[in-house]
Amino acid sequence: MKYFIHTYGCQMNIHDSEKIAGILESMGYTVCDKAEDADIIVFNTCCIRETAEQKIYGHIGLVKKLKREKPELITVVCGCMSQQEGVAAKIRESYPFVDIVLGTGNLNLLQDAIVAAQKKRKFVDVNFMQYKEEDFLTSRTSYPNAWVNINYGCNNFCTYCIVPYVRGRERSRRSEDIIAEVRNLLSEGYKEITLLGQNVNSYGHDLDSDISFAQLLHKLGAMPGKFRLRFMTSHPKDLSQDVIDAIAEYPNICDNIHLPVQSGSTEILRKMNRHYTRDDYFAIVDKIRAKLPDVGITTDIMVGFPGETEQDFEDTLDLVRKVKFSSAFCFVYSRRKGTPAYSMEQIPYAVKKKRITELIACQNEVTKQISQYMVGKQYEVLVEGENFHYKNTMCGRTESGRLVNFQCDPSRIGEFVTVKIERASSATLWGSIVTEEK
Ligand code: 5AD
Ligand code: SF4
């Protein structure tokens, strides 16, 4: 019996898919490369933007034909999209060949749901009950990196964002459980741990034990051995000095912060309910760079939020030029039903399109400058895997998070090496290994 998982969206979903794989493998399923060969197909969905949703509905539609050819095929839709109001009913009506619909908080029901589906019973449950991470055996797919959830959900309610509605309120895992999981992963040979949370900086606020994110970083950063610790995502309003100090104190914690700015206009930030101004953001960046001069700061930026004027957009471009992000994920604002921004006055698509093109070009120019600065210098890189776009080429990241391509044997995945950067084509860096470290 074989399984195939379609994963859409963020790292949180990639890691959830590893848990789904763990459940399926414990039931005797093995992974396959093509949906056509599978006995169970899982769609682990995303609904952060409308484009993601449309694509997913298209892909689910394709299963109809497979199901006709193989009636015992089981189809599961889970993740953020199925947690949205009305979606479970829509799937039931328009995609009757889907057997199981589960929300974001009840993956623990997957096994029972599959048993029901095998008996030809539909299973739909998007109740917001919450599972415990410790309930699952995870089948990890990203060696030498391992994802570790530290908190779930979000309390921020940025006015454009659907996440608080589909992932629920903030819930932190017990620090003892996180520490035990990281210790196990390191003893299994993982070399990079990425802590995941919608807002890692508010870790611990909801726990009885008095532990902050900075204190958690101290406990993890002090673990013995050579490894890398990263975390995402940080909300600028909550990034504290003691977190910056912890990054500086432990060599194992990477000088790399993902700090979504969303907009460079104070007025738009206010309408977004972000709780910081443009100047606050500059001040945070200065605070970080004062302590971590080689830090790589990455970000998320949106254009076309309701009411964004030409001047607001210019402010965003200006911020991008000044901050010099090592990379930026640039998005066109997408109207999400149920969010406050849905009922604000929207911007024409043509304007959004023009702005996103300009924003991407602006960030590309910044990235190119940083890349050129890196040429000729040496960086420690973790060999992470093959770059399938180029023959015989491996890739890995610098501590600051920049991806580098170089030649080496695939058997060296998981090793730390020193790479000299030889050339750069805008966002892509090319180099070769100069010395070897244990
Ligand atoms: N439209 C476009 N982008 C969005 N994001 C969140 N909600 C929306 C939306 N409605 C972006 C934000 C966030 C990232 C994960 O996705 O930039 O940081
Ligand atoms: Fe969405 Fe804002 Fe929460 Fe991030 S902090 S998940 S953008 S509501």
Side-chain angles (χ1 to χ4, degrees), residues 291-333:
K291 195 85 195 212
L292 308 166
D294 296 323
V295 71
I297 302 177
T298 58
T299 202
D300 296 342
I301 312 175
M302 211 183 291
V303 298
F305 183 81
E308 186 187 63
T309 63
E310 206 49 44
Q311 184 56 50
D312 293 322
F313 175 61
E314 285 299 326
D315 286 350
T316 296
L317 293 179
D318 180 67
L319 182 139
V320 164
R321 288 187 203 106
K322 287 187 173 136
V323 173
K324 301 198 189 313
F325 297 109
S326 48
S327 69
F329 296 97
C330 302
F331 304 110
V332 172
Y333 163 75

mmCIF file of all heavy atoms in Angstrom, residues 291-333:
data_model
loop_
_atom_site.group_PDB
_atom_site.id
_atom_site.type_symbol
_atom_site.label_atom_id
_atom_site.label_comp_id
_atom_site.label_asym_id
_atom_site.label_seq_id
_atom_site.Cartn_x
_atom_site.Cartn_y
_atom_site.Cartn_z
ATOM 1 N N LYS A 291 24.701 44.234 17.375
ATOM 2 C CA LYS A 291 25.191 43.069 18.115
ATOM 3 C C LYS A 291 25.677 41.963 17.167
ATOM 4 O O LYS A 291 26.542 41.163 17.508
ATOM 5 C CB LYS A 291 24.022 42.555 18.984
ATOM 6 C CG LYS A 291 24.387 41.608 20.066
ATOM 7 C CD LYS A 291 24.840 42.302 21.334
ATOM 8 C CE LYS A 291 25.538 41.332 22.237
ATOM 9 N NZ LYS A 291 25.365 41.608 23.640
ATOM 10 N N LEU A 292 25.064 41.899 15.963
ATOM 11 C CA LEU A 292 25.359 40.820 15.014
ATOM 12 C C LEU A 292 25.714 41.431 13.654
ATOM 13 O O LEU A 292 24.890 41.450 12.737
ATOM 14 C CB LEU A 292 24.131 39.903 14.846
ATOM 15 C CG LEU A 292 23.473 39.334 16.096
ATOM 16 C CD1 LEU A 292 22.103 38.751 15.779
ATOM 17 C CD2 LEU A 292 24.360 38.251 16.704
ATOM 18 N N PRO A 293 26.937 41.915 13.499
ATOM 19 C CA PRO A 293 27.266 42.669 12.278
ATOM 20 C C PRO A 293 27.120 41.857 10.978
ATOM 21 O O PRO A 293 26.868 42.432 9.927
ATOM 22 C CB PRO A 293 28.717 43.102 12.502
ATOM 23 C CG PRO A 293 29.190 42.367 13.707
ATOM 24 C CD PRO A 293 28.019 41.899 14.483
ATOM 25 N N ASP A 294 27.280 40.533 11.045
ATOM 26 C CA ASP A 294 27.207 39.731 9.816
ATOM 27 C C ASP A 294 25.846 39.073 9.614
ATOM 28 O O ASP A 294 25.703 38.155 8.814
ATOM 29 C CB ASP A 294 28.290 38.636 9.837
ATOM 30 C CG ASP A 294 29.659 39.249 9.831
ATOM 31 O OD1 ASP A 294 29.828 40.286 9.146
ATOM 32 O OD2 ASP A 294 30.561 38.727 10.524
ATOM 33 N N VAL A 295 24.864 39.516 10.351
ATOM 34 C CA VAL A 295 23.552 38.868 10.315
ATOM 35 C C VAL A 295 22.929 38.932 8.914
ATOM 36 O O VAL A 295 23.137 39.899 8.171
ATOM 37 C CB VAL A 295 22.613 39.545 11.353
ATOM 38 C CG1 VAL A 295 22.211 40.948 10.909
ATOM 39 C CG2 VAL A 295 21.385 38.703 11.637
ATOM 40 N N GLY A 296 22.194 37.889 8.556
ATOM 41 C CA GLY A 296 21.364 37.935 7.355
ATOM 42 C C GLY A 296 19.924 38.160 7.805
ATOM 43 O O GLY A 296 19.385 37.342 8.552
ATOM 44 N N ILE A 297 19.339 39.272 7.390
ATOM 45 C CA ILE A 297 17.937 39.525 7.748
ATOM 46 C C ILE A 297 17.090 39.275 6.500
ATOM 47 O O ILE A 297 17.360 39.838 5.436
ATOM 48 C CB ILE A 297 17.732 40.962 8.260
ATOM 49 C CG1 ILE A 297 18.630 41.229 9.475
ATOM 50 C CG2 ILE A 297 16.264 41.217 8.625
ATOM 51 C CD1 ILE A 297 18.562 42.656 10.013
ATOM 52 N N THR A 298 16.119 38.401 6.627
ATOM 53 C CA THR A 298 15.199 38.141 5.513
ATOM 54 C C THR A 298 13.815 38.631 5.919
ATOM 55 O O THR A 298 13.558 38.881 7.102
ATOM 56 C CB THR A 298 15.147 36.648 5.155
ATOM 57 O OG1 THR A 298 14.749 35.917 6.319
ATOM 58 C CG2 THR A 298 16.501 36.135 4.695
ATOM 59 N N THR A 299 12.942 38.763 4.930
ATOM 60 C CA THR A 299 11.653 39.382 5.255
ATOM 61 C C THR A 299 10.529 38.922 4.334
ATOM 62 O O THR A 299 10.786 38.250 3.334
ATOM 63 C CB THR A 299 11.798 40.924 5.199
ATOM 64 O OG1 THR A 299 10.775 41.525 5.971
ATOM 65 C CG2 THR A 299 11.740 41.448 3.771
ATOM 66 N N ASP A 300 9.311 39.269 4.700
ATOM 67 C CA ASP A 300 8.141 39.133 3.826
ATOM 68 C C ASP A 300 7.600 40.542 3.595
ATOM 69 O O ASP A 300 7.511 41.328 4.546
ATOM 70 C CB ASP A 300 7.012 38.335 4.503
ATOM 71 C CG ASP A 300 7.390 36.895 4.800
ATOM 72 O OD1 ASP A 300 8.353 36.390 4.204
ATOM 73 O OD2 ASP A 300 6.705 36.281 5.647
ATOM 74 N N ILE A 301 7.240 40.832 2.353
ATOM 75 C CA ILE A 301 6.676 42.149 2.028
ATOM 76 C C ILE A 301 5.452 41.967 1.143
ATOM 77 O O ILE A 301 5.430 41.084 0.291
ATOM 78 C CB ILE A 301 7.682 43.040 1.258
ATOM 79 C CG1 ILE A 301 9.050 43.025 1.943
ATOM 80 C CG2 ILE A 301 7.165 44.475 1.128
ATOM 81 C CD1 ILE A 301 10.120 43.767 1.181
ATOM 82 N N MET A 302 4.486 42.834 1.365
ATOM 83 C CA MET A 302 3.251 42.740 0.598
ATOM 84 C C MET A 302 3.016 44.055 -0.144
ATOM 85 O O MET A 302 3.276 45.115 0.421
ATOM 86 C CB MET A 302 2.134 42.571 1.623
ATOM 87 C CG MET A 302 0.971 41.783 1.163
ATOM 88 S SD MET A 302 -0.225 41.784 2.494
ATOM 89 C CE MET A 302 0.593 40.798 3.698
ATOM 90 N N VAL A 303 2.534 43.969 -1.368
ATOM 91 C CA VAL A 303 2.108 45.199 -2.056
ATOM 92 C C VAL A 303 0.612 45.117 -2.319
ATOM 93 O O VAL A 303 0.038 44.029 -2.399
ATOM 94 C CB VAL A 303 2.832 45.424 -3.404
ATOM 95 C CG1 VAL A 303 4.319 45.592 -3.205
ATOM 96 C CG2 VAL A 303 2.526 44.306 -4.398
ATOM 97 N N GLY A 304 -0.014 46.292 -2.436
ATOM 98 C CA GLY A 304 -1.420 46.334 -2.828
ATOM 99 C C GLY A 304 -2.389 46.124 -1.689
ATOM 100 O O GLY A 304 -3.560 45.814 -1.921
ATOM 101 N N PHE A 305 -1.928 46.323 -0.437
ATOM 102 C CA PHE A 305 -2.867 46.272 0.681
ATOM 103 C C PHE A 305 -3.887 47.402 0.480
ATOM 104 O O PHE A 305 -3.545 48.465 -0.056
ATOM 105 C CB PHE A 305 -2.103 46.455 2.007
ATOM 106 C CG PHE A 305 -2.977 46.339 3.216
ATOM 107 C CD1 PHE A 305 -3.325 45.100 3.714
ATOM 108 C CD2 PHE A 305 -3.483 47.490 3.839
ATOM 109 C CE1 PHE A 305 -4.162 44.997 4.823
ATOM 110 C CE2 PHE A 305 -4.319 47.389 4.934
ATOM 111 C CZ PHE A 305 -4.657 46.137 5.425
ATOM 112 N N PRO A 306 -5.168 47.211 0.903
ATOM 113 C CA PRO A 306 -6.178 48.245 0.696
ATOM 114 C C PRO A 306 -5.701 49.627 1.137
ATOM 115 O O PRO A 306 -5.162 49.776 2.233
ATOM 116 C CB PRO A 306 -7.350 47.762 1.567
ATOM 117 C CG PRO A 306 -7.216 46.278 1.574
ATOM 118 C CD PRO A 306 -5.738 45.994 1.527
ATOM 119 N N GLY A 307 -5.894 50.595 0.261
ATOM 120 C CA GLY A 307 -5.545 51.977 0.596
ATOM 121 C C GLY A 307 -4.084 52.322 0.365
ATOM 122 O O GLY A 307 -3.680 53.464 0.632
ATOM 123 N N GLU A 308 -3.266 51.387 -0.128
ATOM 124 C CA GLU A 308 -1.840 51.681 -0.328
ATOM 125 C C GLU A 308 -1.680 52.716 -1.456
ATOM 126 O O GLU A 308 -2.008 52.443 -2.603
ATOM 127 C CB GLU A 308 -1.078 50.396 -0.696
ATOM 128 C CG GLU A 308 0.431 50.585 -0.783
ATOM 129 C CD GLU A 308 1.135 49.339 -1.312
ATOM 130 O OE1 GLU A 308 0.881 48.948 -2.478
ATOM 131 O OE2 GLU A 308 1.927 48.748 -0.562
ATOM 132 N N THR A 309 -1.174 53.883 -1.097
ATOM 133 C CA THR A 309 -0.985 54.950 -2.105
ATOM 134 C C THR A 309 0.379 54.773 -2.768
ATOM 135 O O THR A 309 1.215 53.972 -2.310
ATOM 136 C CB THR A 309 -1.006 56.334 -1.441
ATOM 137 O OG1 THR A 309 0.109 56.385 -0.526
ATOM 138 C CG2 THR A 309 -2.301 56.585 -0.693
ATOM 139 N N GLU A 310 0.607 55.570 -3.813
ATOM 140 C CA GLU A 310 1.905 55.532 -4.499
ATOM 141 C C GLU A 310 3.011 55.892 -3.495
ATOM 142 O O GLU A 310 4.080 55.280 -3.497
ATOM 143 C CB GLU A 310 1.847 56.526 -5.665
ATOM 144 C CG GLU A 310 2.766 56.221 -6.823
ATOM 145 C CD GLU A 310 2.726 54.790 -7.359
ATOM 146 O OE1 GLU A 310 1.623 54.227 -7.526
ATOM 147 O OE2 GLU A 310 3.812 54.220 -7.582
ATOM 148 N N GLN A 311 2.716 56.860 -2.605
ATOM 149 C CA GLN A 311 3.715 57.269 -1.612
ATOM 150 C C GLN A 311 3.999 56.130 -0.619
ATOM 151 O O GLN A 311 5.148 55.887 -0.260
ATOM 152 C CB GLN A 311 3.236 58.533 -0.868
ATOM 153 C CG GLN A 311 4.250 59.080 0.120
ATOM 154 C CD GLN A 311 5.611 59.382 -0.524
ATOM 155 O OE1 GLN A 311 5.681 60.061 -1.554
ATOM 156 N NE2 GLN A 311 6.704 58.871 0.061
ATOM 157 N N ASP A 312 2.933 55.426 -0.195
ATOM 158 C CA ASP A 312 3.138 54.280 0.714
ATOM 159 C C ASP A 312 4.071 53.263 0.056
ATOM 160 O O ASP A 312 4.979 52.719 0.692
ATOM 161 C CB ASP A 312 1.803 53.582 1.029
ATOM 162 C CG ASP A 312 0.859 54.443 1.850
ATOM 163 O OD1 ASP A 312 1.345 55.165 2.742
ATOM 164 O OD2 ASP A 312 -0.360 54.386 1.594
ATOM 165 N N PHE A 313 3.814 52.999 -1.228
ATOM 166 C CA PHE A 313 4.630 52.017 -1.939
ATOM 167 C C PHE A 313 6.077 52.505 -2.063
ATOM 168 O O PHE A 313 7.023 51.742 -1.868
ATOM 169 C CB PHE A 313 4.011 51.734 -3.316
ATOM 170 C CG PHE A 313 4.855 50.822 -4.155
ATOM 171 C CD1 PHE A 313 5.145 49.521 -3.724
ATOM 172 C CD2 PHE A 313 5.384 51.258 -5.365
ATOM 173 C CE1 PHE A 313 5.946 48.678 -4.493
ATOM 174 C CE2 PHE A 313 6.180 50.415 -6.134
ATOM 175 C CZ PHE A 313 6.467 49.129 -5.696
ATOM 176 N N GLU A 314 6.247 53.808 -2.356
ATOM 177 C CA GLU A 314 7.603 54.383 -2.421
ATOM 178 C C GLU A 314 8.318 54.188 -1.079
ATOM 179 O O GLU A 314 9.514 53.924 -1.031
ATOM 180 C CB GLU A 314 7.550 55.888 -2.761
ATOM 181 C CG GLU A 314 7.231 56.187 -4.219
ATOM 182 C CD GLU A 314 8.266 55.625 -5.187
ATOM 183 O OE1 GLU A 314 9.461 55.594 -4.843
ATOM 184 O OE2 GLU A 314 7.870 55.191 -6.298
ATOM 185 N N ASP A 315 7.572 54.328 0.014
ATOM 186 C CA ASP A 315 8.154 54.133 1.350
ATOM 187 C C ASP A 315 8.653 52.688 1.513
ATOM 188 O O ASP A 315 9.674 52.435 2.155
ATOM 189 C CB ASP A 315 7.125 54.448 2.447
ATOM 190 C CG ASP A 315 6.883 55.949 2.587
ATOM 191 O OD1 ASP A 315 7.645 56.738 1.985
ATOM 192 O OD2 ASP A 315 5.921 56.331 3.284
ATOM 193 N N THR A 316 7.912 51.749 0.932
ATOM 194 C CA THR A 316 8.341 50.341 1.005
ATOM 195 C C THR A 316 9.642 50.156 0.218
ATOM 196 O O THR A 316 10.598 49.548 0.719
ATOM 197 C CB THR A 316 7.228 49.409 0.458
ATOM 198 O OG1 THR A 316 6.091 49.515 1.307
ATOM 199 C CG2 THR A 316 7.691 47.965 0.403
ATOM 200 N N LEU A 317 9.688 50.716 -1.001
ATOM 201 C CA LEU A 317 10.917 50.593 -1.809
ATOM 202 C C LEU A 317 12.102 51.222 -1.067
ATOM 203 O O LEU A 317 13.205 50.657 -1.032
ATOM 204 C CB LEU A 317 10.743 51.281 -3.165
ATOM 205 C CG LEU A 317 9.733 50.668 -4.134
ATOM 206 C CD1 LEU A 317 9.663 51.488 -5.415
ATOM 207 C CD2 LEU A 317 10.074 49.219 -4.457
ATOM 208 N N ASP A 318 11.842 52.364 -0.459
ATOM 209 C CA ASP A 318 12.905 53.074 0.253
ATOM 210 C C ASP A 318 13.422 52.237 1.431
ATOM 211 O O ASP A 318 14.636 52.138 1.662
ATOM 212 C CB ASP A 318 12.343 54.419 0.744
ATOM 213 C CG ASP A 318 13.375 55.217 1.500
ATOM 214 O OD1 ASP A 318 14.349 55.638 0.862
ATOM 215 O OD2 ASP A 318 13.224 55.389 2.734
ATOM 216 N N LEU A 319 12.494 51.597 2.138
ATOM 217 C CA LEU A 319 12.897 50.753 3.269
ATOM 218 C C LEU A 319 13.742 49.564 2.778
ATOM 219 O O LEU A 319 14.763 49.219 3.368
ATOM 220 C CB LEU A 319 11.665 50.278 4.035
ATOM 221 C CG LEU A 319 11.932 49.429 5.270
ATOM 222 C CD1 LEU A 319 10.991 49.818 6.423
ATOM 223 C CD2 LEU A 319 11.790 47.940 5.004
ATOM 224 N N VAL A 320 13.314 48.979 1.656
ATOM 225 C CA VAL A 320 14.042 47.830 1.097
ATOM 226 C C VAL A 320 15.475 48.234 0.741
ATOM 227 O O VAL A 320 16.428 47.500 1.031
ATOM 228 C CB VAL A 320 13.285 47.272 -0.142
ATOM 229 C CG1 VAL A 320 14.153 46.352 -0.976
ATOM 230 C CG2 VAL A 320 12.016 46.548 0.307
ATOM 231 N N ARG A 321 15.626 49.412 0.132
ATOM 232 C CA ARG A 321 16.978 49.875 -0.241
ATOM 233 C C ARG A 321 17.823 50.142 0.999
ATOM 234 O O ARG A 321 19.015 49.865 1.023
ATOM 235 C CB ARG A 321 16.894 51.163 -1.071
ATOM 236 C CG ARG A 321 16.370 50.910 -2.474
ATOM 237 C CD ARG A 321 16.473 52.179 -3.332
ATOM 238 N NE ARG A 321 15.516 52.091 -4.418
ATOM 239 C CZ ARG A 321 14.371 52.785 -4.503
ATOM 240 N NH1 ARG A 321 14.052 53.663 -3.564
ATOM 241 N NH2 ARG A 321 13.556 52.608 -5.509
ATOM 242 N N LYS A 322 17.189 50.649 2.054
ATOM 243 C CA LYS A 322 17.960 51.020 3.246
ATOM 244 C C LYS A 322 18.309 49.810 4.117
ATOM 245 O O LYS A 322 19.417 49.698 4.623
ATOM 246 C CB LYS A 322 17.189 52.054 4.074
ATOM 247 C CG LYS A 322 17.198 53.418 3.413
ATOM 248 C CD LYS A 322 16.584 54.487 4.290
ATOM 249 C CE LYS A 322 16.769 55.852 3.642
ATOM 250 N NZ LYS A 322 15.562 56.671 3.705
ATOM 251 N N VAL A 323 17.362 48.899 4.303
ATOM 252 C CA VAL A 323 17.623 47.783 5.235
ATOM 253 C C VAL A 323 18.585 46.771 4.616
ATOM 254 O O VAL A 323 19.399 46.182 5.298
ATOM 255 C CB VAL A 323 16.302 47.086 5.659
ATOM 256 C CG1 VAL A 323 16.594 45.829 6.474
ATOM 257 C CG2 VAL A 323 15.442 48.030 6.477
ATOM 258 N N LYS A 324 18.512 46.578 3.307
ATOM 259 C CA LYS A 324 19.346 45.579 2.618
ATOM 260 C C LYS A 324 19.103 44.173 3.160
ATOM 261 O O LYS A 324 19.976 43.562 3.773
ATOM 262 C CB LYS A 324 20.830 45.943 2.700
ATOM 263 C CG LYS A 324 21.145 47.296 2.084
ATOM 264 C CD LYS A 324 22.628 47.419 1.789
ATOM 265 C CE LYS A 324 23.014 48.821 1.370
ATOM 266 N NZ LYS A 324 22.167 49.444 0.359
ATOM 267 N N PHE A 325 17.905 43.691 2.920
ATOM 268 C CA PHE A 325 17.565 42.311 3.290
ATOM 269 C C PHE A 325 18.398 41.353 2.446
ATOM 270 O O PHE A 325 18.629 41.627 1.262
ATOM 271 C CB PHE A 325 16.085 42.024 2.996
ATOM 272 C CG PHE A 325 15.144 42.868 3.808
ATOM 273 C CD1 PHE A 325 14.409 43.884 3.229
ATOM 274 C CD2 PHE A 325 14.995 42.632 5.167
ATOM 275 C CE1 PHE A 325 13.536 44.661 3.971
ATOM 276 C CE2 PHE A 325 14.119 43.406 5.926
ATOM 277 C CZ PHE A 325 13.399 44.416 5.324
ATOM 278 N N SER A 326 18.822 40.228 3.040
ATOM 279 C CA SER A 326 19.558 39.284 2.198
ATOM 280 C C SER A 326 18.612 38.581 1.227
ATOM 281 O O SER A 326 19.027 38.174 0.151
ATOM 282 C CB SER A 326 20.387 38.298 3.014
ATOM 283 O OG SER A 326 19.640 37.754 4.038
ATOM 284 N N SER A 327 17.346 38.441 1.591
ATOM 285 C CA SER A 327 16.343 38.066 0.596
ATOM 286 C C SER A 327 14.973 38.468 1.126
ATOM 287 O O SER A 327 14.791 38.654 2.336
ATOM 288 C CB SER A 327 16.386 36.581 0.264
ATOM 289 O OG SER A 327 15.958 35.830 1.357
ATOM 290 N N ALA A 328 14.015 38.584 0.203
ATOM 291 C CA ALA A 328 12.673 39.008 0.607
ATOM 292 C C ALA A 328 11.645 38.200 -0.172
ATOM 293 O O ALA A 328 11.760 38.047 -1.389
ATOM 294 C CB ALA A 328 12.491 40.493 0.329
ATOM 295 N N PHE A 329 10.662 37.661 0.532
ATOM 296 C CA PHE A 329 9.533 37.026 -0.143
ATOM 297 C C PHE A 329 8.516 38.135 -0.406
ATOM 298 O O PHE A 329 8.046 38.769 0.544
ATOM 299 C CB PHE A 329 8.918 35.933 0.741
ATOM 300 C CG PHE A 329 9.873 34.809 1.002
ATOM 301 C CD1 PHE A 329 10.623 34.763 2.170
ATOM 302 C CD2 PHE A 329 10.054 33.794 0.069
ATOM 303 C CE1 PHE A 329 11.515 33.742 2.407
ATOM 304 C CE2 PHE A 329 10.946 32.767 0.297
ATOM 305 C CZ PHE A 329 11.686 32.734 1.462
ATOM 306 N N CYS A 330 8.239 38.362 -1.678
ATOM 307 C CA CYS A 330 7.374 39.489 -2.045
ATOM 308 C C CYS A 330 6.014 38.964 -2.502
ATOM 309 O O CYS A 330 5.952 38.084 -3.358
ATOM 310 C CB CYS A 330 8.016 40.289 -3.169
ATOM 311 S SG CYS A 330 9.646 40.913 -2.717
ATOM 312 N N PHE A 331 4.956 39.505 -1.943
ATOM 313 C CA PHE A 331 3.611 38.999 -2.241
ATOM 314 C C PHE A 331 2.691 40.118 -2.683
ATOM 315 O O PHE A 331 2.833 41.260 -2.241
ATOM 316 C CB PHE A 331 2.981 38.367 -0.995
ATOM 317 C CG PHE A 331 3.807 37.280 -0.378
ATOM 318 C CD1 PHE A 331 4.432 37.478 0.854
ATOM 319 C CD2 PHE A 331 3.984 36.061 -1.015
ATOM 320 C CE1 PHE A 331 5.193 36.481 1.434
ATOM 321 C CE2 PHE A 331 4.742 35.054 -0.444
ATOM 322 C CZ PHE A 331 5.339 35.276 0.780
ATOM 323 N N VAL A 332 1.722 39.728 -3.518
ATOM 324 C CA VAL A 332 0.617 40.629 -3.834
ATOM 325 C C VAL A 332 -0.465 40.367 -2.788
ATOM 326 O O VAL A 332 -0.815 39.214 -2.536
ATOM 327 C CB VAL A 332 0.064 40.319 -5.243
ATOM 328 C CG1 VAL A 332 -1.210 41.109 -5.506
ATOM 329 C CG2 VAL A 332 1.107 40.600 -6.304
ATOM 330 N N TYR A 333 -0.967 41.427 -2.181
ATOM 331 C CA TYR A 333 -2.033 41.251 -1.187
ATOM 332 C C TYR A 333 -3.202 40.484 -1.806
ATOM 333 O O TYR A 333 -3.621 40.764 -2.922
ATOM 334 C CB TYR A 333 -2.518 42.625 -0.671
ATOM 335 C CG TYR A 333 -3.862 42.523 0.014
ATOM 336 C CD1 TYR A 333 -3.974 41.980 1.294
ATOM 337 C CD2 TYR A 333 -5.032 42.918 -0.635
ATOM 338 C CE1 TYR A 333 -5.209 41.836 1.896
ATOM 339 C CE2 TYR A 333 -6.272 42.781 -0.036
ATOM 340 C CZ TYR A 333 -6.352 42.232 1.237
ATOM 341 O OH TYR A 333 -7.579 42.084 1.822
#
